[in-house]
Amino acid sequence: MRVFMFLAALLFGLPSMAASRCDVNVATQRVDLDQVSLAYQSIGRASDPVLLLVMGLGGQLIHWPDEVVAALCEQGFRVIRYDNRDVGLSAWRQAPGSANLAFEALRYKLGLPVAAPYTLTDMADDGLGLMDALQVQNFHVLGVSMGGMIAQHMAAMAPQRVESLTLIMTSSGAEGLPAPSETLVKLLSRRSAPNREVALEQQADLLAALGSPMVVDDRQALLHQAAQAYDRAFNPEGVQRQIMAIMAEPSRVALLNQLRVPTLVVHGTADPLLPVMHGVHLAAHIRGSRLKLIPGLAHRFQEAFKEPLLGAVLPYLQQHREDTSHWAQIEPVRVPNLL
């Protein structure tokens, strides 16, 4: 009887055990590194292969949709998402200095060097430092937008640790690629607000502009999303410093040409910030990479596109979940720092 009861408890308990394993409502923890203090969440078993999620410009870890994180975890991954330095609950401890976004943006338009308080390489080092602190030697990386740029540097800096790359809505940073509209650039740089209400309206405007023309957004839903982010953390100066880090970055084509990490590039055909040729060009310069174009996808995780996004990403990650064959004879990519 005891054996029967044990087996029954085990069998009927399996669904709840699976659900708790991928519970996205885990506590946010913190790791202190040399220059930064990073807030992160770890979802899944400690024994599972790690998938590190790297968010884009101004984004917080809460901007990874919970259902997407749960789906990734249910593939057998330990999913780790974190706030980049200068946003969310993470902090950059060094004195910020007197960086001026308007001045540096003018230099950028004139083709002059941009002085940034830190670089995307520094931000990649943050992610590697987080893995060190959590004693994770090998891991997969999924980066979106600026997070995809950071992920490219991670793979170059530690190719024997990065098992696969998934790059969504991102770019090689090469000259000559299509630029975003001036309207979108203005919305991105409009970060000062006298109060919470104005800040929420500005963020909702930006989210709407980053969305797909195939989808009609609910304004109240956009305001709610903006409120969640604002109430968790609001640091417009940090976002401006991240923008400068992107503008100061030289083309990564030389770096990409040397990468030997299995890579999937996913891009939308309706991306208004990084038009589709950014994804095409990126994939063309990573040997052996796969390119998946999603019709109508813009520069946001919108409900209508979660299924095609997961349909592109999940099979790829499952295929590479425990494949380490590419590690042999890989050396770190060394590209001169041109900043």
Side-chain angles (χ1 to χ4, degrees), residues 245-264:
I246 294 172
M247 292 192 301
E249 176 93 343
S251 168
R252 289 178 296 280
V253 167
L255 178 153
L256 296 171
N257 285 339
Q258 298 178 64
L259 284 186
R260 300 295 181 265
V261 176
T263 302
L264 171 68

Side-chain angles (χ1 to χ4, degrees), residues 40 42 45-52 78 80 127-140 158 160-163:
Y40 74 95
S42 177
R45 289 186 296 247
S47 58
D48 285 338
V50 167
L51 173 61
L52 181 65
R78 174 189 177 191
I80 297 175
L128 295 175
L130 174 60
M131 294 293 90
D132 290 341
L134 298 181
Q135 298 183 330
V136 175
Q137 178 59 33
N138 301 109
F139 51 95
H140 303 259
Q160 292 183 322
R161 300 181 67 183
V162 176
E163 297 179 358

Side-chain angles (χ1 to χ4, degrees), residues 8 31 73 77 86 93 99 106 124 128 172 198 207 233 260 276 304 321:
V31 158
C73 174
F77 287 98
D86 253 350
R93 289 194 290 266
L106 177 60
L128 295 175
S172 64
V198 173
L207 291 172
R260 300 295 181 265
V276 65
R321 194 166 70 91

Side-chain angles (χ1 to χ4, degrees), residues 57-58 86 92 96-108 112-123 146 149 188-189 191 236-250 252 339:
L57 173 67
D86 253 350
W92 177 48
S98 58
N100 185 309
L101 177 58
F103 177 72
E104 298 302 336
L106 177 60
R107 292 182 61 84
Y108 179 77
L112 300 173
V114 173
Y118 49 77
T119 67
L120 296 184
T121 306
D122 294 328
M123 299 181 78
M146 181 189 73
M149 302 172 194
L188 273 169
S189 59
R191 291 288 175 171
E237 292 79 13
V239 177
Q240 292 178 7
R241 289 191 285 268
Q242 289 187 353
I243 292 173
M244 285 185 274
I246 294 172
M247 292 192 301
E249 176 93 343
R252 289 178 296 280
L339 302 184

Side-chain angles (χ1 to χ4, degrees), residues 156-175:
M157 294 162 68
Q160 292 183 322
R161 300 181 67 183
V162 176
E163 297 179 358
S164 75
L165 273 179
T166 303
L167 305 174
I168 301 177
M169 308 173 189
T170 191
S171 177
S172 64
E175 294 183 8

Side-chain angles (χ1 to χ4, degrees), residues 13 20-21 34 60 128 141 177 221 261 267 274 277 295 298:
S20 62
R21 180 176 70 82
D34 289 342
Q60 303 180 39
L128 295 175
V141 184
L177 289 171
V261 176
H267 216 96
L274 299 173
M277 282 306 299

